[in-house]
Amino acid sequence: ENIGDTFCVVPPGKEISVIGPACFGNTCFTGALASACNSLGGRNIGDRFCVVEGTYSTVGPACYGSTCYTAALSSACTSMGGVNIDDHFCVVQGKVSTVGPTCYGGTCQTGATKSVCSALGGANIGDHFCAVKDRNLATVGPVCHGGTCYTGETSNACAAAGGMDIGGNFCVLEGSYSVAGPTCWDDTCFGGDTDVACTAVEGAINIADL
């Protein structure tokens, strides 16, 4: 159903994937999006979106701050058999879980990201991202607020849950996890209430009451 020529609601039983907007910052990769959409047999919307039938995942933009890891994204896209959109995005058929950027406050856990990505059998993108095909992964983190990262609590909780720790700031878990947090607003974190709520909903992991 078309709603105001801005939304399209597809009924149950028909799966579509929406690619886009294929933009980063003030730049939209219109030509590359149009080409990719055509190769996928999709419907081009303004050279910024593409609607394609089936399950597709978009990896990207593979950027952190003002740096985009274009060569690494291109290489990863090739390894996954994806369709490259100007070395900033990659469209892959099927489910892809993306971990990253594994950074907080200007510090990036590059060594740990590289190690975990290798262990997961994923495609490493500049040691800042990891794209993993055909696995259902959830990333918890960064477990930080303000200038504080709860590295010890994160590492311990991650190990207890059988996850993969990235620098004490992130934890990668296998499965369909839902994550609530950080439960902070401005300078206040509601730790006691978070602990009670996490217990009430049978939360598997409570990290520093955040």
Side-chain angles (χ1 to χ4, degrees), residues 32-75:
L33 184 282
S35 176
C37 193
N38 183 62
S39 71
L40 292 167
R43 298 288 183 176
N44 186 339
I45 301 176
D47 290 345
R48 286 166 175 78
F49 301 86
C50 178
V51 177
V52 59
E53 293 189 29
T55 302
Y56 289 82
S57 300
T58 302
V59 179
C63 305
Y64 180 69
S66 60
T67 302
C68 292
Y69 303 92
T70 52
L73 186 281
S74 177
S75 176

Side-chain angles (χ1 to χ4, degrees), residues 99-111:
V99 178
T102 50
C103 304
Y104 182 77
T107 300
C108 296
Q109 309 295 332
T110 54

Side-chain angles (χ1 to χ4, degrees), residues 43-188:
R43 298 288 183 176
N44 186 339
I45 301 176
D47 290 345
R48 286 166 175 78
F49 301 86
C50 178
V51 177
V52 59
E53 293 189 29
T55 302
Y56 289 82
S57 300
T58 302
V59 179
C63 305
Y64 180 69
S66 60
T67 302
C68 292
Y69 303 92
T70 52
L73 186 281
S74 177
S75 176
C77 194
T78 299
S79 73
M80 292 186 290
V83 178
N84 189 334
I85 301 178
D86 207 68
D87 295 345
H88 284 73
F89 299 86
C90 177
V91 181
V92 183
Q93 188 169 21
K95 178 167 178 60
V96 177
S97 296
T98 302
V99 178
T102 50
C103 304
Y104 182 77
T107 300
C108 296
Q109 309 295 332
T110 54
T113 302
K114 181 178 180 179
S115 176
V116 166
C117 195
S118 177
L120 289 170
N124 184 347
I125 304 174
D127 296 341
H128 286 69
F129 301 82
C130 179
V132 187
K133 285 189 68 175
D134 302 322
R135 293 181 71 172
N136 189 14
L137 303 176
T139 303
V140 181
V143 188
C144 306
H145 181 69
T148 302
C149 290
Y150 300 88
T151 55
E153 294 95 326
T154 302
S155 294
N156 290 338
C158 193
M164 306 191 78
D165 179 26
I166 299 180
N169 286 5
F170 301 83
C171 179
V172 181
L173 300 165
E174 184 122 28
S176 299
Y177 285 83
S178 297
V179 180
T183 52
C184 304
W185 184 258
D186 290 333
D187 295 328
T188 302

